[in-house]
Amino acid sequence: MSAPAVAVVGGGITGLVAAYRLRATLGPDARIVLLERSDRLGGKLRTVSLAGAPVDVGAEAFIGRRPEVPALLDELGLTDQLVHPSGARPLVYAGAALHPMPTGTLMGIPADARSLEGLVDEHTLARIVGEPEVPLGWDRDGDMSVAELVGSRFGEQVVRRSVDPLLGGVYSGLSDTAGVRATVPTLARALDDGAASLTEAVASALPTPSDKPVFGTLRGGYGVLLDALERAAGAEIHYGTVASNLRRSGSRWSLDPVGEVDGVILAVPAPEAAALLTDPVPAAAAHAAEIPLASSVTVSLALPAGTALPQNSGILVATGETLAAKAFTLSGRKWPHLAERDVALVRASFGRFGDDRLVDASDEQLSTLARADLATVTGVTAEPVAAFVQRWHGGLPQYRAGHTEIVAAFEREIDGIDGIAVAGAMLHGVGVPACVESGTKAAARLAARVAG
């Protein structure tokens, strides 16, 4: 029997993990072809040199309580790269003022009024206090936006000042376009289980207190992990290559420009998956086409050492403020290893779903906006010694109301097709751990078919 041949479409973290897992399972003789439409690997993970040292300009952290990334680092001999945040707390810029980020919330949704004191007005606080007395209407068979649920129970200020800033950081969207079931699944389960109020549901859905770090990252940036995965996968990589014409070829599959293979993993954004599946699995393609994308921009600034930034990890911006930026990461305050640099690192983030106006602004315009907004919220006007602008066109899928049903229907169609697996942020989570898990599962599914 000849060595198996498989194709992985998409060289982001999901596709790289899938290729690595396939190599480990199928052995050294398998042909693993990885097609990447851009000129680099990593997708929304990218590490660049800024002021002479590595800085992540895409995702810069992962959820530390999930096991996938630490386990992967251990497998690849990179455990010494794992670092955790300083413990500094973020701020929220709302009402043209800085406020401490509320504690004891679930994605910004409070379990009691005390956590939002000072951030929202007295009327809103009273509404939160009285919420358990208001009859709750929750459809166990349906879904709704986070804004609709929280706004109807706690009021608009909670949505715009507490929930939106957090959701915007994770999904580059607003709570209006975030479905409860996909973005706050533990809350949905609490409501399904019969919680009598939103207050009760949030209280029961809050994670158990833990002294484990919430986040982690890599000392040398995500590029260290991407390089290790590339080496371990030993794949035949084609850069600047768009896969097309996916089709059955007898008991095998064929796609251009690879030709015939025993199986294919699609680890690409939803629109690309839809395009590739249109002919061979049209029903799945139709479901994938229902998942929209949001674009965003990051502007990384290296400021002179000693710049008087707040002693906080970052600043999230409430909806409706007169700023272009949606958030600032005070990287040197957040990460101890970055505090060791001879510059003060700050990252500004721009762009939300439905508002792409700034994505294609010039580097100069974006750097000017970042500096102006930073000055507004912190008073810092220092001239950067270096800057880097990174645009993420179609960077993040939007998990709108009904997303879980769309994904379930999509996966039912794919599960019935032998030799095809789909993975990535479009399905069950946009974070790095979720993508690692997705790539791992897709590789296991395909390898079982190929090896069998």
Side-chain angles (χ1 to χ4, degrees):
M1 179 179 176
S2 61
V6 294
V8 178
V9 184
I13 183 66
T14 305
L16 277 171
V17 167
Y20 163 62
R21 299 296 187 200
L22 287 168
R23 176 62 67 200
T25 304
L26 300 179
D29 295 331
R31 183 190 181 208
I32 301 172
V33 184
L34 193 154
L35 305 181
E36 170 53 45
R37 68 186 307 156
S38 74
D39 60 359
R40 64 174 190 86
L41 298 176
K44 305 311 176 294
L45 306 185
R46 187 181 185 189
T47 306
V48 303
S49 179
L50 184 70
V55 171
D56 283 315
V57 295
E60 52 100 33
F62 57 85
I63 297 294
R65 294 173 184 172
R66 288 191 58 154
E68 293 87 355
V69 177
L72 184 61
L73 294 176
D74 185 52
E75 288 178 42
L76 296 168
L78 298 175
T79 299
D80 62 342
Q81 283 283 323
L82 181 60
V83 291
H84 299 293
S86 64
R89 293 286 303 164
L91 300 168
V92 178
Y93 184 78
L98 290 172
H99 307 267
M101 170 63 71
T103 59
T105 73
L106 186 68
M107 197 62 81
I109 309 170
D112 63 66
R114 290 171 297 177
S115 62
L116 267 60
E117 287 179 352
L119 182 60
V120 299
D121 61 25
E122 292 298 322
H123 172 75
T124 299
L125 292 175
R127 186 168 178 178
I128 297 170
V129 170
E131 188 268 340
E133 307 304 319
V134 179
L136 174 67
W138 171 257
D139 182 0
R140 289 182 174 85
D141 297 318
D143 197 5
M144 64 174 65
S145 73
V146 175
E148 183 182 358
L149 174 63
V150 177
S152 66
R153 306 298 296 179
F154 292 153
E156 192 74 0
Q157 279 197 357
V158 177
V159 173
R160 303 309 169 198
R161 294 187 173 195
S162 185
V163 181
D164 273 356
L166 283 165
L167 280 173
V170 177
Y171 295 98
S172 288
L174 295 174
S175 53
D176 305 77
T177 54
V180 174
R181 293 193 180 280
T183 57
V184 204
T186 55
L187 178 63
R189 284 196 292 272
L191 292 166
D192 287 343
D193 289 342
S197 67
L198 182 55
T199 300
E200 180 183 328
V202 173
S204 65
L206 284 171
T208 303
S210 170
D211 57 2
K212 292 183 179 180
V214 177
F215 298 108
T217 195
L218 278 70
R219 183 176 298 276
Y222 272 122
V224 175
L225 174 59
L226 300 175
D227 290 344
L229 285 169
E230 179 184 357
R231 290 192 298 269
E236 176 187 321
I237 301 173
H238 298 261
Y239 294 97
T241 303
V242 177
S244 62
N245 200 19
L246 178 64
R247 59 201 181 278
R248 281 276 194 187
S249 181
S251 62
R252 306 179 80 203
W253 287 87
S254 178
L255 79 165
D256 296 337
V258 178
E260 287 193 3
V261 291
D262 296 295
V264 178
I265 291 178
L266 302 183
V268 292
E272 294 176 47
L276 284 164
L277 293 168
T278 295
D279 288 334
V281 198
H287 293 306
E290 295 183 73
I291 303 172
L293 305 179
S295 297
S296 61
V297 180
T298 64
V299 180
S300 298
L301 303 174
L303 302 174
T307 299
L309 293 163
Q311 298 292 330
N312 299 89
S313 60
I315 302 167
L316 303 179
V317 179
T319 304
E321 299 299 313
T322 57
L323 299 178
K326 66 181 181 184
F328 292 93
T329 302
L330 306 181
S331 307
R333 304 288 195 225
K334 182 175 182 178
W335 301 106
H337 69 290
L338 296 182
E340 299 169 0
R341 306 271 174 96
D342 57 4
V343 292
L345 295 172
V346 177
R347 184 167 83 166
S349 300
F350 301 87
R352 296 184 190 273
F353 177 62
D355 184 4
D356 296 346
R357 291 173 296 173
L358 291 176
V359 175
D360 292 315
S362 69
D363 287 6
E364 182 179 3
Q365 288 173 310
L366 288 163
S367 295
T368 298
L369 282 172
R371 293 184 59 196
D373 284 354
L374 183 66
T376 297
V377 299
T378 68
V380 169
T381 59
E383 181 82 23
V385 299
F388 189 92
V389 176
Q390 175 67 55
R391 294 169 182 80
W392 295 114
H393 292 93
L396 285 172
Q398 297 301 288
Y399 287 10
R400 298 183 295 182
H403 179 80
T404 54
E405 287 77 15
I406 292 170
V407 170
F410 173 83
E411 291 183 325
R412 282 195 297 272
E413 298 293 339
I414 293 297
D415 287 347
I417 306 298
D418 197 25
I420 291 285
V422 180
M426 64 178 275
L427 299 174
H428 300 289
V430 300
V432 176
C435 290
V436 170
E437 180 185 38
S438 183
T440 296
K441 287 182 174 179
R445 179 176 186 270
L446 195 69
R449 183 270 176 196
V450 171

